[in-house]
Amino acid sequence: MSATFHHGQQQAGNRRQWRAMPRCGRLCLLSLVLAISRGTGTASAATNDIFPGDYYAINPGDKVFSLYLFDRANVGPYLGGEQVADSKVKGRIGAIRGVSAFSLAGLTATAVAVLSCADLKPSSAALGDVIGSHSTGLGDLRLGMTIWPINHRQTANYLGVTAMVIAPTGHYISDQLLNYGENRWRWVLAGGWQKDITPRLLIELSPELTLYGDNRNYAAGQRLEQDPALALTGYLRWRLNPSFHLHIGAQRNWGGATRVDGLALKNPPENTRLNLGLTWFLPGKQQLILRLAEETQIENGFRIERELALRYQKVF
């Protein structure tokens, strides 16, 4: 039997299992699947994963290339703050980001494009039979612009404002519940403030608002809607010396409850994530950031039990 035929046969079996389920069972499963997608990084955290120094204003004419690698282990799901099952989901995500800086009306501005890919796997074979054993492919394309109304190098005070659109270009299979691409538009308005407190200590704060379009082909042709979501990310960074910085950070997320065919699932994640890490400045305008993180509290969804993130960055 060819792999293609077997895959098509498995998808048809998934559709039959899905449509044969009672409506209440489907809604419970949808809540679970949405929890899985949150736990693997598509919705639980701020839409833009902010790293230390992201709102430092580079010089017009500079270009930045960044490579991201994430390894996440998730446990749950949680409902109303209580863990209701001991399932695990693993996600491995890679992304590339390109940034170009220029001057706009006398202000520093940057244009950014981000493309990601992922491999997501539920640990349970029974769950995989219904929602899909894995989701592998490209994510949705992100295009954005940031403008710095405050860019004072003398006082080390920076404030940037970002607008971003995320297009539904990622890999999406409508007959499979587990997908990395989201098959919907998203719009993000964010900001970032960075300020030196002392010559060795600085603070960073980044609020974010995300608005979601509808996915009209979700789970056998149903309509998925999502409330706006808010996030706040913060870092404290210590300059050990010019080459090494240590940081601790936190992120809090609010809102983002979903509805399927108009029925409210009442499942906002309402989660808190803590992280710590190291920034290493290398010769030739290169940089490495290593970050460890976990979610310490969550109301609904899969909790990130462990995240290891690595970012390489080069300024040209």
Side-chain angles (χ1 to χ4, degrees), residues 18-180:
W18 166 254
R19 289 165 181 163
M21 294 178 67
R23 179 174 172 80
C24 62
R26 292 202 303 266
L27 290 173
C28 291
L29 182 58
L30 287 172
S31 296
L32 177 62
V33 174
L34 289 166
I36 290 171
S37 68
R38 291 191 177 97
T40 51
T42 60
S44 72
T47 303
N48 291 311
D49 198 345
I50 303 298
F51 275 65
D54 274 358
Y55 277 93
Y56 175 83
I58 59 177
N59 296 317
D62 286 349
K63 293 176 172 54
V64 182
F65 169 80
S66 304
L67 173 65
Y68 298 79
L69 298 173
F70 298 88
D71 185 83
R72 289 178 178 145
N74 314 275
V75 63
Y78 288 76
L79 293 175
E82 299 293 330
Q83 186 174 351
V84 297
D86 189 19
S87 300
K88 291 193 175 182
V89 178
K90 290 186 178 180
R92 293 181 174 86
I93 302 168
I96 55 174
R97 183 182 72 162
V99 176
S100 179
F102 55 96
S103 182
L104 180 65
L107 300 176
T108 298
T110 58
V112 59
V114 183
L115 188 61
S116 63
C117 62
D119 182 68
L120 312 178
K121 292 183 179 180
S123 62
S124 167
L127 182 60
D129 286 342
V130 177
I131 69 172
S133 60
H134 69 279
S135 177
T136 301
L138 292 176
D140 296 331
L141 177 65
R142 302 168 180 235
L143 298 172
M145 178 180 290
T146 300
I147 297 175
W148 276 264
I150 298 177
N151 180 9
H152 296 161
R153 295 193 185 277
Q154 296 83 357
T155 60
N157 188 24
Y158 306 93
L159 176 67
V161 178
T162 299
M164 176 171 283
V165 61
I166 304 174
T169 61
H171 182 65
Y172 185 83
I173 303 174
S174 61
D175 291 328
Q176 178 170 301
L177 295 177
L178 182 62
N179 280 286
Y180 184 52

Side-chain angles (χ1 to χ4, degrees), residues 120-302:
L120 312 178
K121 292 183 179 180
S123 62
S124 167
L127 182 60
D129 286 342
V130 177
I131 69 172
S133 60
H134 69 279
S135 177
T136 301
L138 292 176
D140 296 331
L141 177 65
R142 302 168 180 235
L143 298 172
M145 178 180 290
T146 300
I147 297 175
W148 276 264
I150 298 177
N151 180 9
H152 296 161
R153 295 193 185 277
Q154 296 83 357
T155 60
N157 188 24
Y158 306 93
L159 176 67
V161 178
T162 299
M164 176 171 283
V165 61
I166 304 174
T169 61
H171 182 65
Y172 185 83
I173 303 174
S174 61
D175 291 328
Q176 178 170 301
L177 295 177
L178 182 62
N179 280 286
Y180 184 52
E182 297 196 18
N183 194 42
R184 59 179 177 173
W185 290 86
R186 287 172 283 166
W187 301 271
V188 182
L189 180 63
W193 174 62
Q194 175 180 316
K195 170 67 176 174
D196 281 21
I197 301 174
T198 73
R200 287 186 174 271
L201 180 65
L202 60 91
I203 187 172
E204 301 175 57
L205 293 173
S206 300
E208 179 184 282
L209 168 66
T210 302
L211 304 177
Y212 301 91
D214 296 346
N215 180 352
R216 298 176 182 271
N217 196 16
Y218 181 79
Q222 299 187 85
R223 180 176 177 176
L224 172 68
E225 302 171 271
Q226 187 165 2
D227 292 340
L230 292 169
L232 180 63
T233 303
Y235 287 105
L236 280 177
R237 190 150 41 113
W238 289 269
R239 296 183 177 98
L240 301 179
N241 57 50
S243 297
F244 291 97
H245 292 184
L246 289 175
H247 75 259
I248 59 171
Q251 182 185 99
R252 178 65 184 173
N253 294 273
W254 301 270
T258 56
R259 293 176 299 281
V260 176
D261 278 352
L263 183 61
L265 299 183
K266 299 179 182 180
N267 59 349
E270 303 287 342
N271 54 343
T272 302
R273 182 163 61 167
L274 301 180
N275 65 74
L276 59 89
L278 172 70
T279 302
W280 183 15
F281 294 91
L282 300 167
K285 296 184 178 181
Q286 300 179 93
Q287 180 193 101
L288 279 176
I289 294 181
L290 178 65
R291 190 183 71 184
L292 295 172
E294 70 169 304
E295 287 179 345
T296 58
Q297 180 274 333
I298 189 169
E299 287 297 308
N300 299 289
F302 270 66

